[in-house]
Amino acid sequence: MVFVLSKNKTPLAPTREAKARILLKDGKAIVHKVYPFTIRLKERKECIKKFTVKFDVGASVTGVAIVDALKCFFFAEIVHRGKVIKKVMDSRRTVRRGRRNRKTRYREPRFENRTRPEGWLPPSVKSRADNVINFAKKYAKLIPIESVVVERVSFDTSSMTKGERLNGVEYQKGSLKGIKLRDFIFQKHNHSCVYCGDRGEEIEHIIPKSKGGTNSVTNLTLSCRKCNMAKRNLSLKVFGKKIGKNLSHLKPKKTPKHASIIQSARTYTLKTLEKDFKVTTGEGWETYSNRKELNLTKQHYYDAMCIGKNYKYKIVTNKVLEIKAQGRGSRQMCRMDRFGFPRTKAKSSKGVKGFQTGDIVKAIVTKGKKIGTYLGKVAVRVSGNFNISTATETIQGIHHKYCKTIQKGDGYAYAITTIK
Ligand SMILES: [Zn+2]
């Protein structure tokens, strides 16, 4: 699908690629943006239709789906750089420590001598949240977005560690939600008993309720009638010994160490999005069972589509846009060797000959060894000979006179993949 803007740049409903091609060919529209592909009409139009963005927020990848009432138009995956930020901050700390110790009197590290503003988040966590917020804000300029759907609890379906907020009370009451939770546990364990492998018949508390076990999804598992009776209120360890099996892998995982930080990041994301959009939330386990029901593979963008009550969309796209957060260069004044001594001169300027690292350029080389056409992300060099990273390779030493900017860098790298 192609995004469409009106003459005055107000967003309209997206259109099919074929139709966009005809509009461009007939001179009724121009290319507004390449990633994501957006055209701008030469006439003024209005759009009454409203769309919804759904986010499956994850630690390293966030899945995105844009939908209306019936169809799903757009898939994307935002690749975060939280880990990179952590690494960079760590290295900065090390360098500063080294500098303090180098041929000087001892100086104490700065420690808690600055107040953190209210709502402060660790840079790596804030970056992830901002990636999501920025996406919503940026795409609201390309397609009329009214509401946003986010998962209420970050739910890692592979490890099942973070389902704490969901407790089994609802399923005990026998509401619709509860039935689904029950199904979910049956599906998770493939309808078989986790202790003996026979047909699973009953929901079982891993840590018995009499010993303080909760109804949280992490503490629930599936067993057959026989094992459930045999286990009674025994702990995993004791029961394991009794049946001669090591059951330690079934132990419910504790809440992650930084759960509170993750929670506050989520609050920050929701609060910020609420300023511009109508925000609703969905449950993690619901996403999982919705996706299973539609028989879709485990992809972040499918998960995003399946969040919440509405999930039965007709998928009208076969492309996924990969959006990789890149950062916007470093503020380090010079590179260092492994001893912490300056290796390069201080950087003068980010831009070289009108180009900046991260811009998407097209180079048509007509002379020399590197004859050909290259489209990709540029890395500028003061010498004027740039490196271009295309989808498949990196070509070094392309002179700036061959290059033409397709799209200015915005701190993200883009790639399109086709769904098989
Ligand atoms: Zn059993």
Side-chain angles (χ1 to χ4, degrees):
M1 296 304 275
V2 175
F3 293 113
V4 185
L5 299 183
S6 164
K7 186 185 178 184
N8 54 351
K9 294 188 188 170
T10 52
L12 305 172
T15 185
R16 279 173 296 116
E17 264 175 41
K19 199 176 171 198
R21 216 175 293 132
I22 293 167
L23 285 169
L24 288 169
K25 205 178 151 200
D26 294 350
K28 285 182 180 160
I30 57 157
V31 177
H32 177 78
K33 212 176 174 144
V34 183
Y35 294 102
F37 196 72
T38 308
I39 60 170
R40 193 165 78 228
L41 300 179
K42 289 187 178 171
E43 57 178 339
R44 221 174 256 261
K45 271 196 171 173
E46 292 288 328
C47 178
I48 5 156
K49 234 178 168 183
K50 294 287 177 193
F51 296 83
T52 302
V53 194
K54 299 178 124 191
F55 288 112
D56 169 36
V57 182
S60 53
V61 178
T62 290
V64 187
I66 299 181
V67 299
D68 70 357
L70 302 165
K71 292 180 198 157
C72 179
F73 294 92
F74 177 83
F75 284 131
E77 282 189 346
I78 306 173
V79 182
H80 302 297
R81 59 192 292 272
K83 277 180 196 147
V84 180
I85 292 174
K86 172 92 172 69
K87 222 171 120 190
V88 170
M89 301 291 277
D90 285 347
S91 108
R92 184 179 81 176
R93 195 183 320 119
T94 319
V95 165
R96 286 186 176 172
R97 172 167 299 135
R99 196 184 297 146
R100 283 200 304 276
N101 292 339
R102 201 183 306 138
K103 287 188 184 171
T104 49
R105 66 186 165 81
Y106 175 74
R107 280 184 288 167
E108 278 183 352
R110 291 181 180 195
F111 177 69
E112 289 189 349
N113 61 345
R114 296 168 217 204
T115 47
R116 283 173 174 166
E118 215 181 297
W120 178 90
L121 289 171
S124 56
V125 177
K126 185 159 188 297
S127 146
R128 284 184 201 125
D130 283 340
N131 286 161
V132 172
I133 295 162
N134 288 342
F135 179 94
K137 284 189 177 169
K138 212 187 286 176
Y139 280 69
K141 289 177 185 166
L142 304 179
I143 179 167
I145 292 170
E146 190 185 36
S147 56
V148 172
V149 183
V150 197
E151 219 166 76
R152 189 151 72 101
V153 178
S154 157
F155 204 101
D156 182 0
T157 39
S158 57
S159 61
M160 304 288 162
T161 54
K162 297 170 202 159
E164 262 66 36
R165 291 262 298 277
L166 173 74
N167 51 51
V169 175
E170 286 154 329
Y171 110 83
Q172 285 176 329
K173 282 179 189 159
S175 67
L176 184 69
K177 265 185 181 175
I179 294 162
K180 274 194 160 179
L181 172 66
R182 200 183 151 81
D183 285 350
F184 168 69
I185 288 167
F186 270 79
Q187 273 173 21
K188 181 185 160 191
H189 299 292
N190 227 348
H191 293 265
S192 55
C193 170
V194 291
Y195 301 120
C196 70
D198 275 359
R199 222 175 84 98
E201 295 165 281
E202 292 173 359
I203 306 277
E204 219 276 282
H205 291 85
I206 300 173
I207 299 171
K209 281 185 92 176
S210 64
K211 292 199 171 145
T214 62
N215 282 334
S216 115
V217 103
T218 50
N219 193 40
L220 296 177
T221 189
L222 189 63
S223 80
C224 65
R225 177 87 193 140
K226 244 164 87 186
C227 293
N228 202 353
M229 293 299 278
K231 184 165 176 287
R232 289 177 299 150
N233 68 342
L234 301 175
S235 69
L236 272 183
K237 214 174 167 183
V238 177
F239 183 59
K241 255 183 203 156
K242 204 172 152 190
I243 59 167
K245 270 185 195 170
N246 184 7
L247 301 173
S248 58
H249 63 281
L250 294 171
K251 203 170 161 190
K253 292 207 178 78
K254 287 208 181 89
T255 339
K257 207 168 148 196
H258 303 301
S260 63
I261 291 172
I262 293 166
Q263 194 51 49
S264 55
R266 192 164 299 121
T267 315
Y268 165 73
T269 311
L270 292 179
K271 283 263 162 67
T272 318
L273 288 172
E274 270 165 9
K275 284 177 197 162
D276 297 306
F277 308 98
K278 207 176 89 196
V279 180
T280 47
T281 52
E283 300 281 0
W285 57 268
E286 205 174 35
T287 309
Y288 180 84
S289 72
N290 290 349
R291 180 165 61 73
K292 284 281 160 191
E293 191 186 323
L294 298 180
N295 211 0
L296 295 168
T297 52
K298 187 173 163 40
Q299 299 289 349
H300 296 283
Y301 46 88
Y302 285 146
D303 271 339
M305 192 185 84
C306 293
I307 291 173
K309 297 273 168 287
N310 303 320
Y311 57 95
K312 284 177 182 164
Y313 300 103
K314 190 181 169 217
I315 300 172
V316 292
T317 179
N318 65 342
K319 299 259 164 63
V320 181
L321 183 65
E322 193 196 78
I323 306 167
K324 206 170 171 190
Q326 296 278 301
R328 292 164 185 269
S330 107
R331 279 204 237 174
Q332 210 171 341
M333 289 311 287
C334 54
R335 303 268 174 241
M336 282 154 303
D337 61 18
R338 66 197 173 94
F339 303 108
F341 286 100
R343 185 167 63 82
T344 57
K345 267 191 282 180
K347 234 180 351 179
S348 51
S349 153
K350 262 188 177 179
V352 176
K353 309 279 179 196
F355 296 92
Q356 225 181 66
T357 297
D359 291 351
I360 294 163
V361 301
K362 190 176 187 180
I364 305 170
V365 183
T366 48
K367 265 188 227 161
K369 282 183 189 168
K370 287 158 191 158
I371 285 180
T373 306
Y374 310 100
L375 176 72
K377 215 174 63 110
V378 74
V380 296
R381 299 287 175 265
V382 181
S383 63
N385 291 312
F386 302 160
N387 297 350
I388 296 177
S389 312
T390 66
T392 48
E393 52 175 347
T394 301
I395 303 102
Q396 294 190 322
I398 299 222
H399 198 255
H400 67 85
K401 73 173 179 189
Y402 297 121
C403 299
K404 202 182 142 208
T405 310
I406 301 292
Q407 189 164 311
K408 275 285 179 191
D410 59 357
Y412 294 91
Y414 298 92
I416 298 168
T417 49
T418 309
I419 304 171
K420 275 153 232 145

